[in-house]
Amino acid sequence: MSDKMNQDSVICVCGLKKHYKGGVIKALDGVNAEIKRGEVVVVIGPSGSGKSTFLRSLNMLEIPSEGQIFVNGVDIAGKGVNINEHRQKMGMVFQHFNLFPHMTILKNMTIAPTTLLKKSREEAEKKAMELLEVVGLSDRALAYPSQLSGGQKQRIAIVRALCMEPDVMLFDEPTSALDPEMVGEVLDVMKKLAKQGMTMIVVTHEMGFAREVADRVIFMDAGVIVEEGTPTEIFDNPKSERLQGFLAKVL
Amino acid sequence: MQAWFADFKADFKLNFIDAARWKWLVEGLGNTLKITFFSLLIGLVLGIVVAAVRSTYDKNQEAMAKHKGVGYYVFAVVNAVCKLYLTVIRGTPVVVQLLIMYFIIFATSRNDVLIATIAFGINSGAYVAEILRGGIMSIDNGQFEAGRSLGFNYVQTMIYIIIPQVFKSVLPTLCNEFIVLLKETSVAGYVGVVDLTKAGDLIRGRTFSAFMPLIAVALIYLVLVVVLTSLVGVLERRLRRSER
Ligand SMILES: Nc1ncnc2c1ncn2[C@@H]1O[C@H](COP(=O)(O)OP(=O)(O)OP(=O)(O)O)[C@@H](O)[C@H]1O
Ligand SMILES: [Mg+2]
């Protein structure tokens, strides 16, 4: 998988399947995809189509039933892979933020770099404060998660992941749990990140974001990728009936 | 009134002062506290180990089943043993466990305080394990996933993220479990341990006067429990305050 052709591909997914209940539920039914370095890929699709399962497989939060996931040329679904090292390089942002409630914001952001990357506390805190500055929350460094609004929590969750200096960022519906007035502030942070060249895979229902920021949009339905292309191709020129039907409902 | 008071004094003297019988109560209380404290330690250690095995198995079963190694089967057996332990201990009365310990398992030993301590320790271990496991399971799975997604391994996620949260939520329940344990040790007399209850009963047998010794025993338990419960209350309020 490390031949020249794929040198700029960070992730390469081959025949990925995830079955539940002994194969009755096929959450993923043979997904093939390639993600290039610096690419922003938005995944859309109806509820239950397997978007989360796909995203979470890239991090081994879901264990594939079949198939391979090459990250920088290594099959992370294979035997003898140190999944923890792999995860350090792949940040993940969840719908429900999942900040650690017993730690301050600063501690939330420094616990992983200090423990896993063996960074000194000063170094980790310096980096954390820089990132807090970027998302406009430096004054909340010593607050606890329960003292923040949803939008603030999600911005913290994003920078917490960034503290590990990941190669790739995964977002699973990062704005779905937010009040409408807070969606913008989170999307703005993600746009900034995209501009800086971060490789991003984003599951979202924010079609405006997809249109504006995505290099490529993937449409999933019933556990497979039905159609993919540039935002223009997907939104203005949908080919498959399923995508047309989906867009008719959400736009 | 005066006559009643004189009776009371005589009764008190007979039960506690004569032949220094109050010393029996002190000795009994000492044994009660000793058994409670050490079985608490055994229970904590056992409970932590069993809870760790059970929840680790539940949380990692899928990942381990994928690449079935020897470790997977060993772990499955250990988990089954833990489950059996929980079922048996929680499904039988503590007095029966105590008798089995004394007359069957340690039939050759007559160190009754030690045997009682082990029996109560094994018993409380099962309850501690379930309290801890309940605490672990009550933590949102998103916390595990957030920890793992940052690159923490399972043990690190437990240590840095889950256990501090579990600790806060189960500490009051655990303390209450130990208050229950204190009272439960009152059946230790079944295997000849002179604990607080047995001491009171022995005095009653000597003096043929039931009121004084039994009420005294009850009062001592009551004071201990009330003091411990109020300490747990203070602890609970502290924890809530630090929660924000
Ligand atoms: N643990 C599980 N056990 C059984 N079925 C599951 C499990 N997790 C997911 N599924 C099923 O897999 C399918 C895909 O789920 P997934 O969460 O990936 O969908 P999704 O596209 O993210 O949907 P949504 O937009 O609602 O988040 C669904 O039919 C779901 O019911
Ligand atoms: Mg989903």
Side-chain angles (χ1 to χ4, degrees):
Chain A
M1 259 316 180
S2 51
D3 48 39
K4 286 233 164 69
M5 246 180 71
N6 293 319
Q7 234 170 27
D8 62 344
S9 94
V10 189
I11 299 174
C12 195
V13 178
C14 301
L16 182 63
K17 295 188 181 179
K18 174 69 181 181
H19 297 169
Y20 289 106
K21 313 225 162 92
V24 182
I25 299 173
K26 297 185 162 89
L28 294 179
D29 201 15
V31 171
N32 299 294
E34 193 181 342
I35 315 286
K36 297 213 159 56
R37 198 169 299 285
E39 210 179 9
V40 177
V41 174
V42 169
V43 182
I44 60 172
S47 181
S49 57
K51 306 181 297 292
S52 297
T53 312
F54 170 63
L55 199 71
R56 290 158 53 82
S57 302
L58 300 180
N59 217 347
M60 287 285 119
L61 286 179
E62 302 290 351
I63 295 148
S65 313
E66 257 179 65
Q68 293 142 312
I69 301 166
F70 293 94
V71 177
N72 295 322
V74 179
D75 179 11
I76 58 164
K79 259 189 175 173
V81 172
N82 185 339
I83 193 61
N84 302 310
E85 267 171 25
H86 160 72
R87 283 176 178 147
Q88 290 174 15
K89 292 277 121 206
M90 196 173 270
M92 178 131 191
V93 176
F94 302 86
Q95 183 175 357
H96 295 286
F97 331 126
N98 298 345
L99 296 182
F100 307 132
H102 58 300
M103 298 176 186
T104 61
I105 299 310
L106 197 59
K107 187 81 187 173
N108 260 278
M109 295 174 68
T110 54
I111 179 92
T114 49
T115 344
L116 300 173
L117 304 180
K118 307 289 178 226
K119 277 195 181 183
S120 71
R121 213 183 95 187
E122 293 73 40
E123 202 186 340
E125 285 185 352
K126 186 165 159 274
K127 169 91 185 166
M129 290 309 295
E130 281 168 23
L131 284 164
L132 283 175
E133 190 78 44
V134 173
V135 295
L137 288 170
S138 22
D139 54 328
R140 309 314 308 272
L142 297 179
Y144 281 82
S146 61
Q147 299 167 314
L148 302 184
S149 73
Q152 291 175 328
K153 282 184 199 166
Q154 196 60 300
R155 283 185 276 161
I156 297 299
I158 294 172
V159 288
R160 177 177 70 179
L162 290 177
C163 281
M164 290 296 286
E165 296 170 15
D167 294 337
V168 182
M169 285 285 285
L170 309 175
F171 297 82
D172 192 359
E173 303 200 23
T175 57
S176 296
L178 298 178
D179 291 338
E181 75 268 22
M182 294 174 183
V183 170
E185 64 194 53
V186 171
L187 292 182
D188 283 344
V189 171
M190 293 168 63
K191 283 176 200 167
K192 259 189 213 170
L193 200 54
K195 277 214 193 82
Q196 288 166 10
M198 175 62 79
T199 311
M200 294 164 63
I201 306 175
V202 186
V203 173
T204 186
H205 295 295
E206 296 292 329
M207 297 304 158
F209 175 84
R211 211 181 247 284
E212 186 186 336
V213 184
D215 297 312
R216 185 151 53 102
V217 178
I218 289 179
F219 170 66
M220 288 186 71
D221 194 13
V224 292
I225 295 179
V226 177
E227 203 170 327
E228 58 182 306
T230 63
T232 323
E233 285 166 352
I234 292 291
F235 293 115
D236 302 333
N237 250 321
K239 293 189 186 66
S240 65
E241 230 165 79
R242 279 197 272 181
L243 176 54
Q244 287 162 4
F246 174 73
L247 290 175
K249 262 181 246 154
V250 297
L251 290 181
Chain B
M1 185 68 203
Q2 198 121 45
W4 179 83
F5 190 67
D7 270 1
F8 186 89
K9 253 170 78 178
D11 210 17
F12 190 88
K13 183 168 173 297
L14 170 70
N15 279 296
F16 302 129
I17 312 290
D18 289 355
R21 294 203 178 95
W22 61 272
K23 279 190 179 162
W24 298 9
L25 287 182
V26 172
E27 191 195 325
L29 177 62
N31 277 336
T32 291
L33 293 178
K34 219 189 299 176
I35 294 172
T36 306
F37 180 75
F38 286 105
S39 53
L40 183 160
L41 287 188
I42 296 174
L44 260 184
V45 171
L46 260 179
I48 289 171
V49 170
V50 172
V53 169
R54 296 277 293 111
S55 39
T56 304
Y57 185 81
D58 286 352
K59 292 260 175 211
N60 295 309
Q61 195 178 13
E62 203 192 354
M64 289 186 306
K66 171 98 178 171
H67 309 298
K68 285 193 173 99
V70 187
Y72 173 73
Y73 294 102
V74 172
F75 204 10
V77 170
V78 174
N79 180 58
V81 170
C82 288
K83 258 185 166 166
L84 182 70
Y85 161 70
L86 294 175
T87 310
V88 171
I89 295 298
R90 297 190 311 148
T92 54
V94 66
V95 186
V96 177
Q97 292 165 20
L98 184 65
L99 292 173
I100 290 176
M101 272 292 178
Y102 190 75
F103 290 108
I104 301 176
I105 297 174
F106 292 108
T108 53
S109 165
R110 282 292 163 265
N111 190 341
D112 43 25
V113 172
L114 181 66
I115 294 170
T117 304
I118 294 172
F120 287 115
I122 290 176
N123 179 268
S124 98
Y127 293 94
V128 170
E130 285 301 88
I131 291 170
L132 292 179
R133 199 168 73 91
I136 293 171
M137 291 303 163
S138 75
I139 304 289
D140 180 15
N141 203 39
Q143 293 288 313
F144 274 97
E145 295 189 338
R148 299 306 301 270
S149 80
L150 284 168
F152 287 108
N153 63 30
Y154 176 79
V155 174
Q156 290 168 326
T157 306
M158 281 307 234
I159 291 174
Y160 294 112
I161 293 153
I162 307 302
I163 295 190
Q165 295 183 56
V166 170
F167 187 70
K168 263 185 164 181
S169 70
V170 303
L171 201 56
T173 324
L174 270 185
C175 291
N176 285 324
E177 167 64 21
F178 297 139
I179 293 174
V180 171
L181 181 63
L182 173 77
K183 289 182 286 176
E184 266 185 354
T185 59
S186 63
V187 296
Y190 270 92
V191 296
V193 174
V194 182
D195 72 323
L196 181 58
T197 306
K198 188 72 186 175
D201 199 44
L202 286 176
I203 296 177
R204 183 193 57 77
R206 277 305 153 79
T207 59
F208 300 105
S209 144
F211 181 83
M212 277 281 170
L214 295 187
I215 294 298
V217 166
L219 279 176
I220 295 172
Y221 277 116
L222 187 64
V223 168
L224 284 176
V225 169
V226 167
V227 169
L228 288 174
T229 307
S230 69
L231 287 180
V232 175
V234 171
L235 183 75
E236 232 167 327
R237 252 166 283 138
R238 279 255 176 102
L239 287 177
R240 211 170 305 142
R241 207 173 317 138
S242 71
E243 219 159 63
R244 293 149 208 264

